[in-house]
Structures are given as C-alpha cells and as structure tokens.
Amino acid sequence: MLPRRKPQTNETIRKAMLGLFRKFFSSRFGVAITLAFLVLIAIAFASADVTGSQFGGITGGGGETVATVGKSKIGANDVEQTAQAAFQNAQQQQATLTMQEFLGDEGLDQLVGSMIQRLAIWEWGKQHGMAVSNRLIGSELAQIPAFQGPDGKFNEQTYRQAIAQRRLTEQAVRDDLSKGLMARQVLTPASFGATMPNDVLMRYVALFKEKREGAIAILPSALFAPKDKPDDKTIKAYYDSHKADFTRPERRTIRYAIVSDADLKDVRKPTDAEIKKRYDDNSAVYAPTETRSLTQLIVPDEDTARKIAAEAGKGTSLDTAAKAQGLATSRLVEVSKDSLAGQTTQDIADAAFKANEGTVLPVTKGPLGWLVLRVDAIQKHPGKTLEQARPEIEKALTTDYLRKAMSDQAADADDKFSTGSSLTDVAKDLGVTVNTTQPLVSDGTVYGKANEKAPDDVQDLLKAAFAMDREGAPQVASVAKGEKFAIFDVGQITPSAPAPLAEIKQDVERAYMIDEGSKAAKKASDKVLAALGKGKSINDALKEAGVRLPPPDHISMTREQLAQTGNRVPPPLALMFSMAKGTSKRLEAPRKMGWFVVSLDKIIPGEVKPDDPLIKSGASDLNKVLGREYSDQLRQAITRDIGSKRNPKAMAAVRKQLLGGR
C-alpha cells in the first residue's frame, strides 16, 4: 500500500529538512521579486528572450498612483507592467497558467508589497548617504545575457536593440538597475555571516531523527459499493447531478505552417566593407585583453580579515583560513579590470591587476565589508586581427540579415492577413506547407491521448490559438525563441460540454458505484475510529467495519526515513507526522477510492550524535535561511520607517485591467 523505502542519502535528507523552513520564506512571485533585486529588468529580459513577448516600457510612475512610498510614487502603469512581466516569466515554466490563477486572491497585493519595499529601500539608502555609481550599473548591464553579443560580452548595439524592442528608455533601465543595486547594498550585509545557534540547530536535527510508531489502514470504496447495478433512472439522476465530473474540455485543431531560415530566399551575404565596419565598431572586443581569476572573501570586521590574510600569506589556503573562522570564499573567474572595479572599487581592481599570480592582496575596505583577495591565475588574451575575426563576424552579420529577412517576411504575411488573404494563400506565397494538428486541449495535450503532445513549435502557439474567438482568423507568431515564425489559425473549435450520457453510460455507472461505496466506507471508518477511541487495537477496530478489510500497515519510521520519499510523501504518512500521540484520524484516498484510518501510538524523541553528518550539512543551509530572515526583517523595518500608503481603488483598477476588464 505504501511505497517501498529507497536507500537514503545525506543530500536527500538535507533537502527534506530544509523543506521544513523554506515554506516560511516563499511567495507566489518567488525570491527574485520578493527581494526586489532588478525586478523589472531581470524579469523583462529573462532567458534573454527579448523578442517573444509584449512587455511594455517602464514609465516611471505613469497612470493613477497605486501607492505612495516616502516622497515617491508607484503608478498604475508600473504595477501593470511588472505584473505582466512576472506573469510571462511564470508562463515559461507553466504554459497553461492564466492571469486569474497567477494573481489569485492576494497575488497583486504581494507584488505591490514587493515594489513598495524596493522603493522604500531606495529612499532609505539615499537618506543615509548611499549611492549607486554609473560604473556599477554598467557592470550589471554587462552581465545580462540579453545584452551580450555573439562573443558572450556586452554589445552596445545588441543592448540598444533589446531595450528598443521592449520600448524602454536607457534612463529607465539605469534607474531600475540603480534601485535593485541599492537593495543589494542595503540587504546583503544584513544576511552576511548569519549563524544559526547551535542549540537551535541541534533541536531541528533531533526533530528530524524523531521516530513515530502507529498503523495505517485503508477501507476501499469497492468493498462497500452496492452489490446490484443501478437502474437507468438512478444513473440518469446521478449524471444530471454530476455533469461537471463528465465535462469534456474545449479542444481545438490548429492549422499552421512554420517558416525557418531554410525557407528564406535571396538573403544577402555581408560585404567586406560591412565586416570591417563591424570589426572597427567593436575594436575593444578584439583588442588584446587580460583577465584574472581570483578567490574572494568578504569579512564583516577588519581584525578577522587581517588574521585570515596573514594565515593565507604564510601558505595556508585562503579557503582553509576562511573556514577556520566560519566563513566561505567565492570565486571570480576570468574577470576584467572594469568588471572587478564595478564589483569592488577602482583601487582594488588596480591592485589586483598589478599583483603577481598567487599573491594575497592587502586587506581593503570594500562596498560590502573588508575584502581579502588572492590572485589565482592570470589569463592573457591576445585579441584577434580582422582576418581572424572574419568568420565569427560574418556569421553574426549573416544571422542578423536572416533575422531581418524573417522579420520582414513575418510582417508581410501579417499585412496580407489584415487585407483578407487566407492561410493557404500566404503559405503558398512563402513556399511552406500547412499542417493540421489533432484536436488539442489548452495545455497542448492531444484530446483523448494523455501521453501525446502537440509538436514543439505548436506549443508556442497554444495561448494565442485558445484566445481566438472564431475559426479561420490567421495570425503570425514567433516560435523557437524568435528563430522561426509561424502562420496559423484555428481549424475547428469544439466547446467544452458534458459528454452525452449514451456515450459514457458505463463510466457514469462506475462513478456512481465508487461514490456510493465511498459514502459507505466513510460511515464504516466512523465505527473504526470510535473503536480506536475506546482503546481497541487497530486489528480489532477494523472488525467494526462489517467487511473483511486488507490488513493495516504497521509503521515505525523517522522523519529522516520519511525524506527518502522525496517530494512525494504519501498523504497518510504526512498526516501521521502531524498528529498528536495517541490519536487517530481519517483521510480520504484520491479519486474517492476509499478512506485511510491513521493511528499514532508512540512518538520517540530523536537523539543526535555529535558527529552526525546532518549537523554539518544542515548548518550551512540553515544559516542561509536565517540570513534571508534577517534580510527580510530589515526590509520590513525600512519600509515601516519610510512609510507607505496604498490606494485600494487604483489597485482594483489595475487588477481589472490585468484580467481583461473582469
């Protein structure tokens, strides 16, 4: 009845233990938005997909004021655009997600709360003399994948094209990055070096070692189902009162044709002059450069930093010296001088790039604490001549011309559709073939074939196809992250409706029998629970059900062993580990297949040995959880200090707008 135990691993156990705490720090919008670092920009350019969505520009408080934070305001446009960007990002993980589901009952309140906290931190930072330099903003821009060229480095042309496609101004982008970076400067020190007290850690580890003993029995609905089949009148009455259970989802066929690079004709090749111009425009990219790989340690106080640096200077590895003080180093791999200056200071970067390999730099005060740096390796990059760079430049220019040709073709197809051309006619002009899918439901599954999905390219069309209000209205859409485009329409729409009784009579009869059996099993479980309450054993109590039941599972398990089931803990076991000693409870099985009776006899406190590996592995992660809690508390305190006020009417208007006027 219950899953067979798998061999346990410390990693599985560690993750399960952390699950006890993470629920306290989660939200619908995730840590990225909760922490409010680079909210609009980071989401807008998620996965470097800047062409596949219709995210609007940052308007700097446009529209009616939704909230006032100190002396600043958050406009309705800001909230709407942030919500749209977050929603699009969430849809990349769950294609069928709707805005209604995304916002839920409190989603918009959470989002506005995050925006308020972010703006409050900005106001607070300015009040206390903090600032964000243009150099640091430039460093952040250089790390956003959407702004990088074919060589993986920041490309000015790509950057300007990207923000133009999002209808963003450069000032808006820089302002948004400034606020996110200010939040990082303010909040990171609060979480740095957080250490869970050992007594608390030991209590949680002991909780994980706790053992519970009891029993789980099931009363299957099938054993309590009526012996005689229901007559037609009974089936009809059951069907009429449970039509929602037998409703078939809306399904649609999609007619589509995909246009790829291979279908484009007469795409020109880059000329020698164009290749040279691209080379000259990006001379800094191809010039000789030097990067360095470093080990970095940020220490809260100067004395500790100097002690660690001294140990490292004597030959002890910086990692080892840091661990002796309960700290951890980080790696900076092949960073440029400008990048290092953006993360630290110009003086620190200059010193790091003058030092020899293996040198531990003198302790210096950095933006986030006292900095200890070790030069691990020096990488000399000779750069490239025009001829050496020609193949990659030619490839990049060819890709640009292909993208432009594809964009022009897509625009031309869209123009033709707007003047009445059919899908077939436009496909013929483009030289592509129109295909028709099988009937699909909104998540892309083929209707009636749960294990069969629509083709990958069609998955990108589902949202638009299911938003169409009629058949035969062709559209153009980008697919495969802008590498192709599709022309498509809806071939046939079959509305959601209950299946005719005549077609599903056997299914209705089976559902009726299970439903009746479930009701009877529930009544029988009442008798079993009553017997258990009087002190009877589980075996004797089950006899009160009136039918011969499967023998119960006797459970003797620790929370540590429970972790072996991963994220799929059987509900009866989860219930057992939340009950009080000496109690019994009932739990319905999935799909009305019966009722579980869970009885807990003993709770045996856990014992932890001093050398238990779970102590060490759990401490690091629990320290991070504690650090996030400190950061969260600081964020909330700053927000209270700055002060904020929401406009409920404006928020209601934004919610209505996001939901399409509903």
Side-chain angles (χ1 to χ4, degrees), residues 642-659:
I642 294 298
S644 64
K645 185 177 180 181
R646 303 191 192 198
N647 181 345
K649 289 185 178 179
M651 287 188 61
V654 170
R655 181 181 179 85
K656 185 175 181 181
Q657 180 70 19
L658 289 169
L659 296 177

Side-chain angles (χ1 to χ4, degrees), residues 222-492:
L223 294 180
F224 295 88
K227 303 301 180 184
D228 299 325
K229 289 187 176 183
D231 55 30
D232 290 345
K233 182 178 179 181
T234 301
I235 293 177
K236 177 66 166 58
Y238 184 80
Y239 170 80
D240 289 341
S241 61
H242 293 77
K243 281 188 177 181
D245 296 341
F246 304 105
T247 296
R248 292 172 173 172
E250 178 183 311
R251 53 266 189 209
R252 300 185 172 202
T253 61
I254 300 175
R255 300 195 313 143
Y256 70 99
I258 304 297
V259 181
S260 64
D261 292 349
D263 300 306
L264 299 178
K265 302 177 180 64
D266 302 323
V267 178
R268 71 186 183 89
K269 301 294 184 182
T271 65
D272 288 343
E274 289 169 333
I275 292 173
K276 186 175 186 308
K277 185 177 185 304
R278 175 65 69 89
Y279 179 84
D280 291 340
D281 289 344
N282 294 274
S283 57
V285 173
Y286 302 110
T289 58
E290 178 182 311
T291 59
R292 299 200 164 198
S293 296
L294 307 113
T295 298
Q296 174 182 254
L297 176 66
I298 301 173
V299 186
D301 64 279
E302 184 179 5
D303 289 343
T304 303
R306 293 192 181 282
K307 182 178 180 180
I308 292 172
E311 287 295 319
K314 296 175 183 177
T316 304
S317 76
L318 188 52
D319 285 337
T320 302
K323 286 178 181 177
Q325 298 295 325
L327 300 172
T329 60
S330 60
R331 297 287 188 270
L332 301 176
V333 180
E334 293 198 30
V335 294
S336 66
K337 182 188 284 191
D338 285 344
S339 177
L340 182 59
Q343 298 176 51
T344 56
T345 67
Q346 187 63 54
D347 289 343
I348 292 174
D350 289 341
F353 274 75
K354 288 178 182 176
N356 295 324
E357 185 174 316
T359 300
V360 177
L361 273 65
V363 173
T364 311
K365 183 72 167 68
L368 302 178
W370 292 90
L371 191 65
V372 183
L373 278 177
R374 180 186 187 277
V375 180
D376 297 328
I378 300 173
Q379 298 88 15
K380 300 283 188 179
H381 305 280
K384 293 182 180 180
T385 65
L386 174 59
E387 288 309 309
Q388 290 172 329
R390 177 181 291 274
E392 66 186 72
I393 294 176
E394 185 172 5
K395 181 180 179 181
L397 286 171
T398 300
T399 300
D400 290 346
Y401 297 154
L402 280 170
R403 295 286 80 79
K404 185 178 186 306
M406 187 169 292
S407 178
D408 291 343
Q409 289 272 40
D412 182 61
D414 195 45
D415 289 342
K416 289 179 179 178
F417 289 148
S418 65
T419 57
S421 295
S422 69
L423 180 67
T424 304
D425 290 339
V426 173
K428 184 177 180 181
D429 292 342
L430 291 169
V432 293
T433 303
V434 175
N435 300 292
T436 303
T437 68
Q438 300 179 68
L440 304 174
V441 296
S442 61
D443 67 353
T445 303
V446 176
Y447 176 71
K449 302 177 181 179
N451 296 322
E452 189 173 344
K453 291 279 189 178
D456 290 341
D457 288 335
V458 175
Q459 295 289 339
D460 291 340
L461 310 176
L462 287 170
K463 183 180 178 182
F466 275 82
M468 293 180 181
D469 56 6
R470 60 189 177 90
E471 301 168 356
Q475 292 187 18
V476 179
S478 171
V479 296
K481 295 186 177 179
E483 295 179 1
K484 309 175 187 177
F485 75 88
I487 54 174
F488 70 103
D489 65 12
V490 176
Q492 182 179 8

Side-chain angles (χ1 to χ4, degrees), residues 14 17-18 22 191 193-196 201 326-328 613-628:
R14 182 181 66 83
M17 186 169 74
L18 285 174
R22 284 181 177 144
S191 62
T195 303
M196 183 73 75
L201 174 62
L327 300 172
L614 196 57
I615 298 173
K616 183 177 180 180
S617 63
S620 175
D621 288 310
L622 290 176
N623 291 344
K624 292 176 183 177
V625 171
L626 182 62
R628 286 199 296 270

Side-chain angles (χ1 to χ4, degrees), residues 631-644:
S631 216
D632 185 59
Q633 292 296 328
L634 175 59
R635 186 169 54 250
Q636 293 181 36
I638 288 173
T639 304
R640 288 193 297 269
D641 184 50
I642 294 298
S644 64

Side-chain angles (χ1 to χ4, degrees), residues 3-16:
R4 190 174 296 174
R5 297 176 183 171
K6 299 177 182 179
Q8 63 187 30
T9 65
N10 284 337
E11 180 64 14
T12 300
I13 295 168
R14 182 181 66 83
K15 289 180 179 178

Side-chain angles (χ1 to χ4, degrees), residues 65-362:
T65 299
V66 171
T68 303
V69 184
K71 298 179 180 179
S72 301
K73 295 180 179 180
I74 297 174
N77 290 346
D78 293 335
V79 177
E80 183 178 347
Q81 290 165 8
T82 304
Q84 289 285 6
F87 173 59
Q88 290 166 10
N89 195 43
Q91 276 194 316
Q92 293 180 10
Q93 308 300 322
Q94 186 179 346
T96 60
L97 184 69
T98 66
M99 180 61 81
Q100 179 84 35
E101 293 168 340
F102 180 69
L103 293 179
D105 294 331
E106 300 179 356
L108 189 60
D109 287 334
Q110 292 178 10
L111 180 64
V112 172
S114 292
M115 295 178 72
I116 287 172
Q117 291 180 345
R118 181 169 180 268
L119 192 52
I121 292 171
W122 172 254
E123 290 273 338
W124 188 87
K126 289 193 299 180
Q127 287 181 13
H128 290 78
M130 301 181 71
V132 177
S133 68
N134 287 329
R135 183 182 293 276
L136 184 55
I137 294 173
S139 175
E140 285 297 324
L141 286 172
Q143 296 179 49
I144 297 177
F147 300 155
Q148 296 170 357
D151 58 357
K153 298 181 179 179
F154 179 78
N155 183 282
E156 183 76 21
Q157 183 178 358
T158 302
Y159 163 62
R160 297 196 177 280
Q161 288 176 348
I163 65 174
Q165 289 169 347
R166 289 284 180 174
R167 298 191 296 280
L168 303 173
T169 66
E170 183 174 5
Q171 188 58 48
V173 171
R174 286 182 169 273
D175 286 347
D176 192 71
L177 285 171
S178 295
K179 291 181 174 63
L181 289 166
M182 178 72 80
R184 182 182 299 172
Q185 290 185 51
V186 172
L187 297 179
T188 300
S191 62
F192 187 80
T195 303
M196 183 73 75
N198 190 63
D199 288 348
V200 177
L201 174 62
M202 294 297 286
R203 283 180 180 272
Y204 280 122
V205 175
L207 176 64
F208 216 60
K209 299 284 185 178
E210 172 194 281
K211 177 185 283 189
R212 298 201 169 201
E213 295 182 354
I216 299 175
I218 186 169
L219 285 69
S221 299
L223 294 180
F224 295 88
K227 303 301 180 184
D228 299 325
K229 289 187 176 183
D231 55 30
D232 290 345
K233 182 178 179 181
T234 301
I235 293 177
K236 177 66 166 58
Y238 184 80
Y239 170 80
D240 289 341
S241 61
H242 293 77
K243 281 188 177 181
D245 296 341
F246 304 105
T247 296
R248 292 172 173 172
E250 178 183 311
R251 53 266 189 209
R252 300 185 172 202
T253 61
I254 300 175
R255 300 195 313 143
Y256 70 99
I258 304 297
V259 181
S260 64
D261 292 349
D263 300 306
L264 299 178
K265 302 177 180 64
D266 302 323
V267 178
R268 71 186 183 89
K269 301 294 184 182
T271 65
D272 288 343
E274 289 169 333
I275 292 173
K276 186 175 186 308
K277 185 177 185 304
R278 175 65 69 89
Y279 179 84
D280 291 340
D281 289 344
N282 294 274
S283 57
V285 173
Y286 302 110
T289 58
E290 178 182 311
T291 59
R292 299 200 164 198
S293 296
L294 307 113
T295 298
Q296 174 182 254
L297 176 66
I298 301 173
V299 186
D301 64 279
E302 184 179 5
D303 289 343
T304 303
R306 293 192 181 282
K307 182 178 180 180
I308 292 172
E311 287 295 319
K314 296 175 183 177
T316 304
S317 76
L318 188 52
D319 285 337
T320 302
K323 286 178 181 177
Q325 298 295 325
L327 300 172
T329 60
S330 60
R331 297 287 188 270
L332 301 176
V333 180
E334 293 198 30
V335 294
S336 66
K337 182 188 284 191
D338 285 344
S339 177
L340 182 59
Q343 298 176 51
T344 56
T345 67
Q346 187 63 54
D347 289 343
I348 292 174
D350 289 341
F353 274 75
K354 288 178 182 176
N356 295 324
E357 185 174 316
T359 300
V360 177
L361 273 65

